[in-house]
Amino acid sequence: MKRFVFKLGALLELRKQHEENIKLLLAEKNREIIAATGDLNRYYEELKELQSSEKTRRAGQEPVQLLRYSVAYRYKLKSDILRTGRWVQDLQAEASGIQKKLLDATKARRALEIIRDRQFDVWKKEYRRKEQNFIDDVAQQKYIASH
């Protein structure tokens, strides 16, 4: 009997490749999220350092211009924190969309794999039936030849 051939094998390979491409896209998006989160954490650290240094500096007399610069820098850090926070949220929303696409691609691939497995089970059953018929024929011929 000829070996098992899944006629939709090429489609299954295309779906596997599509799923891999989506996984790579999701990994890239996650890398961007990690980088943006790192930037956000860096801005928070800079703000903390600025606030602690300002507490010690304001204890003494300092020129008004330095105070103006520190306030402007603090506002800049806060706006950077807000901008980066929105960017992280946007990236997470995009990653969520990509995860949905990945789920759909996985379902499509898995559906073809289930079809392949069922067809293989049918082929295997038929193969075993033919093999058993062949063995029965050989045994019957041997029995007839011996009697």
Side-chain angles (χ1 to χ4, degrees):
M1 187 173 171
K2 61 183 178 181
R3 66 186 193 98
F4 175 73
V5 176
F6 182 57
K7 294 178 182 175
L8 298 174
L11 180 60
L12 179 60
E13 289 304 315
L14 284 173
R15 290 202 176 159
K16 284 180 182 180
Q17 184 61 41
H18 179 65
E19 183 181 7
E20 287 301 314
N21 290 341
I22 293 173
K23 284 180 182 179
L24 291 174
L25 185 62
L26 181 61
E28 178 65 24
K29 194 58 67 176
N30 284 335
R31 187 195 61 74
E32 289 179 25
I33 290 171
I34 290 170
T37 304
D39 289 345
L40 185 61
N41 290 335
R42 185 175 47 84
Y43 289 138
Y44 276 121
E45 288 300 317
E46 285 182 35
L47 184 61
K48 283 181 186 178
E49 288 175 16
L50 176 69
Q51 288 173 342
S52 65
S53 68
E54 285 300 308
K55 282 182 183 178
T56 58
R57 278 190 18 199
R58 288 185 185 176
Q61 294 292 330
E62 68 175 28
V64 175
Q65 191 64 27
L66 286 178
L67 182 61
R68 202 177 291 169
Y69 289 150
S70 69
V71 169
Y73 184 62
R74 183 169 51 93
Y75 282 132
K76 181 199 173 301
L77 282 176
K78 285 187 177 184
S79 69
D80 287 345
I81 287 171
L82 289 174
R83 180 182 43 79
T84 307
R86 282 192 299 268
W87 176 245
V88 168
Q89 288 176 347
D90 291 344
L91 288 174
Q92 288 173 338
E94 290 174 18
S96 177
I98 293 171
Q99 284 176 334
K100 288 178 185 175
K101 286 181 185 178
L102 178 61
L103 182 63
D104 291 341
T106 302
K107 284 180 184 178
R109 175 193 50 86
R110 187 66 190 129
L112 277 179
E113 286 178 346
I114 289 171
I115 291 170
R116 181 196 61 202
D117 292 344
R118 287 182 182 166
Q119 285 181 0
F120 181 69
D121 288 342
V122 168
W123 175 85
K124 195 168 30 173
K125 186 176 180 180
E126 181 67 20
Y127 180 79
R128 286 182 182 152
R129 186 185 63 76
K130 287 184 179 183
E131 187 177 38
Q132 186 63 43
N133 286 342
F134 177 74
I135 291 171
D136 288 347
D137 286 344
V138 170
Q140 188 178 27
Q141 288 175 5
K142 185 176 180 183
Y143 178 77
I144 292 171
S146 68
H147 284 79

